[in-house]
Amino acid sequence: MKTSCKCTTTFFLLALWLAPGVQCIPAQSHPTAAELLQNLQSEQTTDNAKNELLKLGKSGPEIRQYLTVHLPPLIGSGPGSPDCSGHHCQEWNNAVELAGKLKIGEAAPALARWINWRNEGPVGRSLEARLVFYPAARSLADIGDPAIPVLQHVLDSGSPEEHARAVRVQCIIHTPKAKAALQDNLTHETDPDLQAMIKNVLGE
């Protein structure tokens, strides 16, 4: 009786396997971190790759570690041609955005090189204040405290425009560590507008 049941079960499973329309579907293999990074650098696949890397980087430490090593040189190489703007910069913008949203402090020096880079877009006081069109500066603000030593270096040795942008980034970070850095800068800040900005943040 037991043997008969076994045979019947085996026959049923075999029939189901061979039935029309029933196929063995292999498990879907997910792209590797290296493949996604390659896709990030392609105009056709960059947005999808960014979204996938962002999702995986938040949930998988190994993906984030991979990006910690490979994103900084990609960012450091810059957005491309001097007139790079809009969609033509999308691959670089996506790399920069990933570094900020995943808070990859190791990318801060590479980002600082491009702190004053501005994408095309309308000029407006609030837009400039929120760094809407400054992807590297915005990512440094998103990274937060780990970016402050690099920002201090920009304050000390950057151009006047880079200096002003670094002050703005620290104002946006707005943590006790950022405020301490701003307080230190206030003692030798010569730009009256930046002085007022710092005092406003410190007084909040």
Side-chain angles (χ1 to χ4, degrees):
M1 184 60 120
K2 288 184 181 178
T3 302
S4 175
C5 278
K6 264 189 192 176
C7 291
T8 303
T9 302
T10 302
F11 178 79
F12 173 76
L13 291 173
L14 184 60
L16 184 63
W17 179 268
L18 296 174
V22 177
Q23 298 176 346
C24 177
I25 301 174
Q28 295 279 333
S29 60
H30 294 287
T32 65
E35 289 170 338
L36 286 171
L37 190 68
Q38 189 67 35
N39 290 342
L40 185 72
Q41 299 172 68
S42 169
E43 184 179 330
Q44 290 73 30
T45 56
T46 184
D47 289 338
N48 287 338
K50 179 201 71 175
N51 293 335
E52 189 68 16
L53 283 168
L54 184 59
K55 181 174 66 176
L56 294 174
K58 287 181 176 179
S59 60
E62 66 286 348
I63 297 291
R64 190 182 182 284
Q65 184 57 41
Y66 182 87
L67 293 176
T68 294
V69 173
H70 291 88
L71 272 186
L74 183 60
I75 292 168
S77 65
S81 60
D83 62 348
C84 170
S85 61
H87 186 70
H88 301 294
C89 284
Q90 194 61 22
E91 299 93 318
W92 184 76
N93 282 329
N94 282 342
V96 167
E97 184 181 342
L98 274 173
K101 288 191 173 178
L102 292 177
K103 299 188 181 300
I104 298 177
E106 293 82 354
L111 290 165
R113 290 179 57 189
W114 302 97
I115 192 170
N116 211 42
W117 175 268
R118 191 186 193 283
N119 279 324
E120 277 190 345
V123 176
R125 190 174 182 84
S126 67
L127 296 176
E128 302 302 298
R130 289 182 287 122
L131 307 176
V132 171
F133 296 109
Y134 295 88
R138 182 68 252 180
S139 281
L140 285 165
D142 289 338
I143 288 170
D145 280 355
I148 288 176
V150 172
L151 291 168
Q152 286 298 102
H153 180 70
V154 176
L155 285 172
D156 294 337
S157 60
S159 68
E161 293 81 9
E162 290 169 336
H163 176 94
R165 206 73 56 213
V167 170
R168 167 57 61 187
V169 171
Q170 289 189 335
C171 288
I172 291 175
I173 293 174
H174 210 270
T175 61
K177 188 173 180 179
K179 288 183 177 182
L182 288 168
Q183 180 69 66
D184 180 65
N185 183 57
L186 184 59
T187 60
H188 49 266
E189 180 58 66
T190 59
D191 186 307
D193 290 336
L194 294 180
Q195 286 177 350
M197 183 191 303
I198 293 170
K199 287 177 181 177
N200 183 55
V201 170
L202 294 178
E204 291 177 355

